[in-house]
């Protein structure tokens, strides 16, 4: 197997707001290998973006990591100073944000903004940087790169701007690229184009990617492994096949039921998950999904289930699995007797 | 199958019974839902500065509009022998009267060179400032809302022509025109008051004051009309307006019932912030001698007259200066508070 | 860009035309018209004056003549200062006011922008609270209050600064402070809120994600965006400084155009009032056009419009 690139262990992160401590991440553990494409799915507020930002050391005020470790490419991110982090950001790990319309500085040209990251992390001179910037724009499929470099962000469309953001992210050939819902703010046709570009770049550059999204379609087309998050917790993780064909957690099942299928043979209904997420200011002691879960049991309300390992790669945190396991074990025992 | 935890042998079977709805709901803490006004009011109450300002404004209003009616001195009363008294001083005559057992109300802030009590003049000056601020803002509100809502509601060519006019007035250097109007307007107004029956009230209110109202309402409504128009433009696309139209409601009913009521928050905030702006300009005009006419005092004219004697009687300058600053500051802070509470988006 | 400039200049010309027209007709509200002094009572002088100013002609003709003279740059003759051209008076007095105003503008910008930025970066802390308290008070205090308070404190009580005229650099201190106080406070508030807005923008996050130091991202990415709203305040600021100059020049006895304008009002020197009004309106409108066009050049987003 290939080398472990990122290892997040029991990460806990809270936002200390005037209203109280918001526990945004609770014991999040994620591991990925070099060359992996990992999808993190979950609804808004589930902590998927917060997890990604913490890998960049970009936890926004008033958020703070209060426990756990982040190990990236041999760096202990959670222990690094801001100054050390700056050498890694945009260099070894870079990020593409959700909204390309607002992620580029409106008063600088595209060229300025690409060259900026090159000057920060490489020793290229002006001419070389210009050359590299042109190359990058070609790489992300923008025509007429020399002209684009002189343009301002507002002169480009949303899709083009996202391509520029990707170019900036790829400028220093990072080990890991984090894509934080890179297509959510774009039109459907543009979404497809950007996804195609990402898949193509992945093949070309063989880098590791974390794809954060609530769109399971994107995950299916691109990722090999999936982490499902709910209310600041990882509830299930596994390979694409395992998650799609053998979901174990009730939330994952709900998610899969709520996406439309094109090739549905009979008239299938889309089933939304009823209810709203729990209040993160006062998180309940039990499973956060319990209030919305159809199969909620008494124990779910009282305590958080441990992970049940279904296969080497597949694990899910649900009391139902514990129950099944216990029953299987008891059955086994009775047979033995 | 492998398990991480090994307490499965001690599992209590009852734990795995289905939970009922009430148990599930106990996990969901719903925050109380509040109405727009309640929510805004709560936010306003939490803003200490705004609440203090509100109290200050109420106190100043009482001092300016109620206290003078039973104050023992009047603003134009010249008490002979009591000229240029200091704080809490009495003239010889007054001391004699006091010795005779008569009660004499003290001159809290002294008197001016004509023997007029400064305290009552300060209160009357505040009354003028507040009157100008509030009346002018209401006039601006009325003209601006009507003009803006008509332009915004009808849109198209009507809107274009009406807004072009607003643009021109907007770019006119207002202070110059205000000065010009203040210089010239008093002549026709005086004529009107003297010659045309039914207009004598102009003299009672004061030509200066009336001309200030006219000047402000002629120039300052444009800002208000722009705000109202843009509110209407966004609101009229909303479904409920389309629904009302489909049900056959008349234009004026739609403007009154749906559009204006929905932009009321922004109107209150803008009007509150217009008050100090008007007071600001009035005090400036009075300082230059273009505001209300003597003997009516205004905080600006009181300060202006006191400059000559700044060495000997600094209080005559500092008292109106402090008063005007306090009034404007309080209205500004209250307006800021209202804006933060009711329309956070309006910031700048 | 060129089209915008032309459009903007054309609309400024319309505004100026409106101001001139308004000025002319407002002056007719004055009994006897603006060109006659009350003292010219003898029929002969009256006749002579009427002929000189063409007052015997119909209003329409007078208006056309008046506008013609303005377009030629002739603002007429003062009533009270016999024989003095309004143009000459302005030429003499304006440089004094302009110098004072320019210094005040520079100080307001140089002090207001850093103050506002510092407040934004220390949001909610004591430094922010102090700066915002001063700034909020600053915009609530009329210029005459600032000017008189400064004069009283530094001139009358402490005797450390001169309060009369402009004969030495020290003489500039108090009037400039009085003029710059309000704009400085206003710019600080404006800069603070615009800085806070910019700091929360996505592109600031992008900058950090690139690995730029916070200090550098502040100067390179935040400041340039945050300053833009301040540029839009330049127009109103010039108008405010002009207005302030009326009061401040009067209080500190400065021989500028502001004090001249005020005394022309008390003297009822109507031709001088009209001339100065038109000159100042021209000045303000022109400056506004320049600011607007400069803004379009500085902010690349607006070029398309």
């Amino acid at each position: 197997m290939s080398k472990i690139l990122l290892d997040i262990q029991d990460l806990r992160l809270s936002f200390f707001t005037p209203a109280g401590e918001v526990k945004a991440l609770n014991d999040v553990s994620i591991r990925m290998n070099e060359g992996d494409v990992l999808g993190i799915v979950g609804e808004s507020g589930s902590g998927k973006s917060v997890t990604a930002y913490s890998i960049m050391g970009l936890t926004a005020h008033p958020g703070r990591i209060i426990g756990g470790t982040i190990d990236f490419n041999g760096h202990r991110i959670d222990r690094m100073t801001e100054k050390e982090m700056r050498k890694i950001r945009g260099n070894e790990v870079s990020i593409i944000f959700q909204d390309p319309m607002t992620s580029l500085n409106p008063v600088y040209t595209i060229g300025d903004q690409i060259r900026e990251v090159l000057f920060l992390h490489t020793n290229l001179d002006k001419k070389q940087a210009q050359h590299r910037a042109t190359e990058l724009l070609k790489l992300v499929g923008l025509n007429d790169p020399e002209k684009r470099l002189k343009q301002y962000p507002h002169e480009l469309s949303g899709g083009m701007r996202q391509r520029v953001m990707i170019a900036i992210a790829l400028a220093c050939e990072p080990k890991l690229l984090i894509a934080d819902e890179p297509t959510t703010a774009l039109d459907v046709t543009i979404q497809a184009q950007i996804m195609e570009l990402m898949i193509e770049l992945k093949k070309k550059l063989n880098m590791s990617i974390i794809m954060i999204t609530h769109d399971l379609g994107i995950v299916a087309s691109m990722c090999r492994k999936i982490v499902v998050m709910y209310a600041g917790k990882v509830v299930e993780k596994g390979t694409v096949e395992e998650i799609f064909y053998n979901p174990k957690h009730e939330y994952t099942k709900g998610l899969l039921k709520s996406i439309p299928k094109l090739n549905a043979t009979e008239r299938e209904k889309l089933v939304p998950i009823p209810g709203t997420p729990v209040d993160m200011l006062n998180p309940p002691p039990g499973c956060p999904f319990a209030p919305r879960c159809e199969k909620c049991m008494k124990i779910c309300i009282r305590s958080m289930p441990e992970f049940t390992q279904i296969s080497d790669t597949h694990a899910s945190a649900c009391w139902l699995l514990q129950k099944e396991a216990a029953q299987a074990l008891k059955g086994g025992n009775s047979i033995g007797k | 199958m492998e398990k991480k935890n090994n307490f499965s042998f001690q599992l209590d079977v009852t734990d795995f019974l289905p939970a009922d709805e009430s148990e599930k709901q106990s996990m969901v803490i719903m925050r109380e839902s509040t109405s727009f006004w309640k929510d805004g009011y709560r936010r306003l109450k939490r803003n200490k500065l705004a609440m203090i300002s509100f109290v200050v404004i109420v106190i100043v209003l009482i001092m300016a509009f109620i206290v003078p009616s039973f104050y023992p001195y009047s603003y134009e009363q010249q008490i002979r022998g009591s000229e240029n008294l200091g704080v809490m001083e009495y003239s010889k005559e007054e001391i004699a009267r006091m010795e005779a057992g008569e009660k004499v109300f003290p001159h809290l802030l002294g008197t001016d060179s004509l023997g007029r009590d400064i305290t009552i003049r300060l209160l009357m000056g505040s009354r003028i400032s507040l009157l100008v601020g509030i009346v002018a803002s209401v006039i601006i509100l009325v003209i601006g809302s009507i003009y803006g809502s008509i332009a915004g509601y009808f849109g198209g060519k009507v809107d274009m022509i009406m807004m072009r006019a607003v643009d021109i007035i907007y770019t006119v250097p207002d202070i110059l025109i205000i000065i010009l109007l203040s210089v010239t307007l008093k002549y026709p107004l005086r004529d009107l008051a003297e010659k045309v029956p039914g207009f004598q009230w102009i003299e009672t209110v004061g030509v200066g004051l009336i001309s200030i109202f006219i000047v402000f309402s002629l120039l300052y409504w444009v800002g208000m009309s722009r705000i109202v128009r843009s509110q209407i433009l966004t609101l009229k696309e909303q479904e409920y307006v389309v629904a009302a139209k489909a049900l056959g409601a008349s234009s004026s009913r739609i403007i009154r019932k749906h559009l204006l009521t929905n932009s009321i928050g922004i109107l209150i905030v803008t009007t509150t912030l217009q008050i100090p702006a008007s007071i600001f300009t009035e005090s400036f005009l009075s300082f230059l001698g273009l505001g209300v006419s003597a003997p009516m005092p205004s905080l600006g004219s009181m300060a202006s007259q006191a400059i000559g004697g700044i060495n000997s009687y600094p209080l005559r300058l500092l008292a109106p200066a402090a008063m005007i600053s306090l009034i404007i500051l309080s209205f500004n802070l209250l307006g800021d508070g209202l804006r933060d509470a009711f329309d956070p988006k309006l910031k700048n | 860009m060129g089209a915008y400039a032309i459009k903007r200049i054309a609309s400024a010309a319309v505004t100026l035309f409106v101001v001139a027209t308004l000025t002319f007709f407002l002056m007719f509200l004055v009994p006897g018209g603006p060109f006659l002094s009350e003292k010219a009572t003898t029929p002969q002088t009256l006749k002579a004056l009427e002929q000189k100013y063409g007052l015997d002609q119909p209003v329409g003709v007078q208006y056309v003549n008046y506008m013609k003279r303005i377009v030629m740059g002739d603002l007429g003759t003062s009533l009270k200062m016999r024989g003095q051209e309004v143009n000459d008076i302005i030429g003499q007095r304006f440089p004094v006011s302009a110098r004072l105003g320019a210094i005040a503008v520079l100080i307001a910008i140089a002090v207001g922008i850093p103050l506002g930025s510092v407040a934004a970066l220390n949001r909610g802390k004591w430094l922010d609270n102090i700066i915002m308290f001063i700034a909020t008070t600053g915009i609530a205090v009329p210029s005459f209050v600032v000017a008189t308070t400064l004069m009283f404190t530094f001139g009358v009580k402490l005797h450390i600064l001169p309060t009369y005229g402009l004969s030495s650099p020290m003489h500039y201190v108090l009037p400039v402070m009085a003029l710059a106080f309000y704009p400085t406070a206003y710019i600080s508030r404006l800069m603070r809120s615009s800085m806070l807005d910019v700091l929360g923008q996505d592109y600031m996050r992008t900058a950090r994600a690139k690995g730029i130091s916070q200090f550098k991202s502040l100067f390179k990415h935040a400041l340039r965006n945050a300053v833009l709203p301040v540029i839009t305040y330049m127009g109103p600021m010039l108008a405010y400084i002009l207005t302030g100059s009326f009061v401040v020049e009067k209080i500190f006895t400065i021989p500028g155009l502001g004090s001249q304008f005020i005394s022309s009002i008390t003297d009822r020197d109507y031709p001088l009032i009209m001339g100065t009004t038109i000159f100042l309106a021209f000045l303000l409108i022109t400056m506004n056009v320049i600011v607007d066009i400069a803004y379009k050049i500085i902010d690349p987003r607006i070029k398309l419009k």
Side-chain angles (χ1 to χ4, degrees):
Chain A
M1 278 297 274
S2 49
K3 216 180 104 194
I4 291 172
L5 178 69
L6 173 72
D7 191 4
I8 302 176
Q9 288 290 339
D10 302 322
L11 184 64
R12 279 187 290 135
L13 192 151
S14 289
F15 287 94
F16 295 89
T17 68
E21 180 186 347
V22 178
K23 290 175 178 144
L25 296 180
N26 284 307
D27 298 321
V28 169
S29 299
I30 294 170
R31 179 181 291 188
M32 73 184 286
N33 291 329
E34 256 176 34
D36 265 358
V37 180
L38 174 78
I40 304 183
V41 291
E43 54 196 70
S44 348
S46 60
K48 47 194 195 318
S49 296
V50 178
T51 310
Y53 294 168
S54 67
I55 301 168
M56 301 277 294
L58 280 180
T59 305
H61 183 82
R64 217 165 56 224
I65 293 175
I66 49 173
T69 58
I70 304 170
D71 201 320
F72 167 72
N73 200 26
H75 306 291
R76 273 294 297 277
I77 301 284
D78 53 301
R79 283 200 198 148
M80 283 170 87
T81 61
E82 169 69 22
K83 209 174 168 188
E84 290 168 324
M85 259 332 288
R86 286 209 298 268
K87 290 196 189 110
I88 295 176
R89 275 185 217 137
N91 191 14
E92 287 178 45
V93 53
S94 50
I95 188 164
I96 309 164
F97 293 108
Q98 193 176 65
D99 192 353
M101 305 308 275
T102 54
S103 292
L104 290 165
N105 194 328
V107 298
Y108 291 103
T109 62
I110 303 301
D112 286 334
Q113 301 190 52
I114 298 178
R115 283 189 299 266
E116 182 177 37
V117 69
L118 289 171
F119 288 139
L120 269 167
H121 301 294
T122 66
N123 294 321
L124 299 181
D125 61 30
K126 269 190 180 169
K127 217 173 161 187
Q128 288 167 318
Q130 179 72 11
H131 181 72
R132 172 84 179 127
T134 320
E135 211 175 80
L136 281 163
L137 287 189
K138 267 186 211 151
L139 182 71
V140 296
L142 278 178
N143 57 349
D144 210 350
E146 280 87 4
K147 186 183 144 204
R148 300 283 173 231
L149 286 175
K150 285 184 202 127
Q151 285 180 316
Y152 286 94
H154 71 265
E155 295 172 80
L156 305 185
S157 69
M160 285 156 97
R161 286 191 220 183
Q162 196 60 302
R163 285 171 195 266
V164 172
M165 281 301 290
I166 296 173
I168 292 174
L170 296 179
C172 299
E173 297 177 335
K175 282 260 167 61
L176 173 65
L177 175 69
I178 301 171
D180 184 7
E181 307 206 22
T183 58
T184 314
L186 301 171
D187 290 346
V188 184
T189 45
I190 311 291
Q191 277 184 16
Q193 286 173 15
I194 295 288
M195 284 317 298
E196 231 163 72
L197 173 70
M198 300 269 306
I199 294 169
E200 196 190 302
L201 288 173
K202 154 77 192 144
K203 276 184 201 149
K204 244 187 233 173
L205 307 172
N206 195 35
M207 59 189 161
S208 316
I209 296 176
I210 293 181
M211 176 65 74
I212 296 165
T213 180
H214 55 249
D215 186 341
L216 287 164
I218 287 176
V219 176
S221 66
M222 209 177 155
C223 306
R224 277 176 47 202
K225 288 182 179 167
I226 297 178
V227 170
V228 181
M229 290 187 74
Y230 186 83
K233 287 183 169 121
V234 175
V235 294
E236 185 162 10
K237 44 192 169 190
T239 63
V240 173
E241 292 76 19
E242 286 165 335
I243 297 290
F244 272 80
Y245 298 115
N246 190 20
K248 285 295 176 193
H249 199 278
E250 289 303 309
Y251 174 64
T252 317
K253 289 179 191 169
L255 265 186
L256 288 167
K257 267 187 232 163
S258 64
I259 48 169
K261 296 186 188 82
L262 263 183
N263 55 352
T265 42
E266 48 191 300
R267 296 186 110 233
E268 278 181 73
K269 259 194 180 169
L270 281 183
V271 187
I273 307 175
T276 48
V278 288
D279 186 356
M280 303 285 275
L281 263 174
N282 308 291
C287 171
F289 189 61
R292 296 170 74 184
C293 184
E294 278 178 13
K295 296 179 181 167
C296 177
M297 301 178 292
K298 289 195 190 297
I299 192 166
C300 301
I301 290 163
R302 262 185 288 123
S303 61
M304 179 67 198
E306 297 283 322
F307 271 102
T308 304
Q309 209 73 36
I310 296 136
S311 74
D312 278 352
T313 46
H314 193 183
S316 171
C318 178
W319 280 114
L320 280 168
L321 297 172
Q322 305 265 352
K323 185 186 166 190
E324 278 169 27
Q327 278 168 346
L329 213 63
K330 266 184 192 165
N333 282 349
S334 60
I335 292 164
K337 271 173 191 171
Chain B
M1 218 180 272
E2 228 182 34
K3 289 170 298 292
K4 258 187 174 176
N5 53 340
N6 52 6
F7 58 85
S8 49
F9 290 106
Q10 296 125 36
L11 284 178
D12 185 353
V13 189
T14 56
D15 277 346
F16 291 101
L17 292 174
D20 54 40
E21 238 2 83
S22 64
E23 278 175 292
K24 278 162 82 172
Q25 283 318 307
S26 69
M27 287 178 79
V28 184
I29 308 153
M30 284 301 267
R31 301 225 178 97
E32 214 185 316
S33 74
T34 50
S35 74
F36 169 74
W37 293 108
K38 244 186 176 171
D39 202 35
Y41 181 61
R42 212 188 53 218
R43 260 176 298 188
L44 183 65
K45 262 205 320 207
R46 233 185 291 148
N47 186 338
K48 277 191 200 119
L49 271 179
M51 290 318 282
I52 294 171
S53 306
F54 181 69
V55 173
V56 169
I57 291 169
V58 171
I59 293 173
V60 173
L61 280 173
I62 292 172
M63 301 264 277
F65 287 95
I66 299 176
V67 172
S69 53
F70 53 80
Y71 204 77
Y73 303 107
S74 89
Y75 69 91
E76 77 251 82
Q77 181 187 356
Q78 302 184 4
I79 306 159
R80 211 169 297 158
S82 300
E83 289 86 6
N84 292 330
L85 291 179
V87 173
M88 294 300 281
E89 277 181 3
Y90 296 97
S91 65
K92 276 181 196 155
E93 201 182 318
E94 281 163 346
I95 292 170
R97 269 162 60 205
M98 277 159 79
E99 275 164 0
E102 218 179 306
K103 272 199 173 170
V104 175
F105 196 80
H107 301 289
L108 297 172
L109 295 172
T111 57
D112 67 8
S113 53
L114 296 172
R116 297 178 295 195
D117 187 87
I118 289 177
T119 315
I120 184 69
R121 289 184 67 75
L122 193 67
L123 294 183
M124 287 306 286
S126 310
R127 179 190 282 194
I128 297 295
S129 291
L130 289 164
L131 208 62
V132 167
I134 295 167
V135 174
S137 300
V138 171
I139 297 174
I140 289 162
L141 172 70
V142 171
I143 300 179
S145 314
I146 294 175
Y147 193 95
S149 48
I150 292 173
Y153 184 79
F154 289 103
K157 260 190 194 143
V158 179
D159 179 41
M160 207 196 76
I161 293 165
M162 287 176 85
M163 281 301 125
R164 200 41 47 84
V166 165
D167 287 345
I168 289 172
I169 300 179
Y170 209 79
T171 48
V172 165
D174 46 11
I175 203 70
L176 293 172
I177 301 301
I178 286 176
I179 290 176
L180 217 55
L181 281 165
S182 313
V183 170
T184 54
L185 218 51
K186 51 184 179 234
Y187 299 110
L189 277 175
R190 205 165 283 155
D191 275 0
L192 199 64
E194 280 163 11
K195 288 171 194 157
V196 186
F199 279 95
Q200 277 83 3
W201 56 270
I202 289 178
E203 278 297 349
T204 0
V205 183
V207 172
L209 210 51
I210 296 278
S211 71
I212 281 184
F213 289 150
I214 295 177
V215 165
F216 281 18
S217 32
L218 276 178
L219 281 169
Y220 280 160
W221 58 270
V222 285
M224 180 69 80
S225 78
R226 277 185 167 181
I227 290 171
V228 173
R229 172 179 168 269
S230 71
Q231 278 285 302
I232 301 285
L233 280 182
T234 38
L235 283 170
K236 82 174 181 181
E237 301 304 325
Q238 309 275 331
E239 277 82 359
Y240 57 80
V241 175
V242 180
K245 242 185 192 166
L247 289 171
S250 70
S251 292
S252 80
R253 187 185 153 81
I254 290 177
I255 289 181
R256 267 184 301 118
K257 274 277 167 190
H258 294 284
L259 302 182
L260 281 181
T261 42
N262 275 290
S263 37
I264 199 98
I266 203 171
L267 291 186
I268 290 174
V269 172
T270 320
T271 308
T272 313
L273 288 171
Q274 181 62 56
I275 294 175
S278 304
I279 293 177
F280 205 98
T281 311
E282 184 274 335
S283 73
F284 165 78
L285 289 177
S286 302
F287 185 83
L288 294 182
L290 292 168
V292 295
S293 18
M296 189 67 99
S298 145
L299 296 175
S301 60
M302 283 172 77
S304 170
Q305 284 153 19
I307 286 184
I310 193 168
N311 278 310
S312 346
Y313 308 105
L315 190 71
R316 285 183 201 166
L317 174 68
L318 298 181
M323 194 67 174
I324 194 90
S325 305
L326 182 72
I327 292 176
I328 296 173
L329 183 65
S330 304
F331 273 106
N332 272 344
L333 290 173
L334 178 66
D336 284 351
L338 282 172
R339 183 187 58 197
D340 292 349
F342 288 102
D343 199 0
K345 274 180 293 174
L346 196 69
K347 276 192 172 179
N348 294 301
Chain C
M1 192 61 217
Y4 172 80
I6 290 167
K7 215 176 123 190
R8 192 66 194 75
I9 290 167
S11 89
V14 172
T15 309
L16 202 57
F17 172 79
V18 170
V19 172
T21 310
L22 212 59
T23 311
F24 179 82
F25 285 104
L26 276 177
M27 282 306 170
F28 267 85
L29 296 177
V30 176
F35 302 103
L36 299 182
S37 103
E38 295 94 352
K39 284 168 195 160
T41 37
T42 59
Q44 290 93 326
T45 38
L46 208 66
K47 195 102 186 159
L49 278 170
E50 271 183 355
Q51 257 172 5
K52 186 179 170 198
Y53 291 106
L55 298 182
D56 41 359
Q57 286 165 315
V59 181
V61 179
Q62 285 188 48
Y63 172 67
V64 171
N65 287 340
Y66 167 79
M67 291 302 262
K68 265 188 201 155
R69 277 198 288 126
I70 287 179
V71 172
M72 302 297 287
D74 175 12
L75 296 174
T77 319
S78 163
L79 261 188
K80 293 287 143 82
M81 291 181 263
R82 287 282 150 160
Q84 278 224 56
E85 292 282 317
V86 174
N87 289 14
D88 293 341
I89 297 173
I90 292 174
Q92 219 172 48
R93 296 285 198 135
F94 178 63
V96 179
S97 301
R99 198 179 312 127
L100 205 60
I103 298 172
V105 167
L106 290 180
I107 286 187
I109 293 171
V111 177
I113 288 179
L115 272 187
S117 309
V118 167
L121 294 175
N122 291 285
R123 184 187 193 172
K125 296 186 191 147
W126 61 271
L127 194 59
D128 176 31
N129 290 337
I130 290 175
I131 293 174
M132 279 307 108
F133 176 77
I134 297 170
T136 308
T137 319
I139 62 160
V141 182
S143 51
F144 72 84
V145 174
V146 180
T148 49
T149 313
L150 284 173
M151 182 162 91
F152 178 69
T153 319
F154 295 102
V156 178
K157 277 276 155 186
L158 302 173
H159 280 294
I160 48 174
L161 285 167
T163 61
Y164 186 92
L166 276 182
S167 40
S168 79
M170 285 306 276
H171 283 78
Y172 276 89
V173 177
L174 289 181
V176 165
M177 271 169 82
L179 271 182
F181 196 71
Y182 181 98
T184 309
Y186 195 95
I187 291 177
S188 304
R189 280 169 58 103
L190 195 63
M191 192 63 198
R192 177 179 180 270
S193 70
S194 118
M195 192 61 147
L196 283 178
D197 183 45
V198 167
L199 289 178
Q201 290 290 321
D202 287 350
Y203 54 77
M204 290 306 291
R205 198 175 53 183
T206 308
R208 278 198 75 199
K210 282 177 176 176
I212 302 174
S213 72
Q214 276 189 302
F215 187 74
K216 205 174 157 196
S217 76
L218 208 66
F219 266 84
K220 200 176 159 193
H221 289 272
L223 206 57
R224 191 149 162 197
N225 280 289
V227 158
L228 292 176
V230 176
I231 298 171
T232 57
Y233 174 63
M234 293 302 285
M237 169 157 78
L238 288 169
Y240 181 85
I241 295 229
L242 188 80
T243 318
S245 77
F246 300 161
V247 168
V248 170
E249 287 182 10
K250 180 182 164 182
I251 292 173
F252 292 104
T253 336
I254 291 162
L257 193 57
S259 54
Q260 174 67 61
F261 187 47
I262 297 311
S263 54
S264 71
I265 290 170
T266 24
D267 292 348
R268 298 186 190 169
D269 190 343
Y270 297 110
L272 190 51
I273 297 176
M274 286 170 85
T276 315
T277 305
I278 287 164
F279 171 74
L280 291 176
F282 174 75
L283 186 75
L284 280 181
I285 293 168
T286 315
M287 293 305 261
N288 268 330
V289 171
I290 292 171
V291 167
D292 276 3
I293 293 174
Y295 186 73
K296 306 280 139 131
I297 292 170
I298 294 163
D299 188 348
R301 275 168 299 186
I302 305 174
K303 263 184 199 162
L304 285 181
K305 282 181 190 171

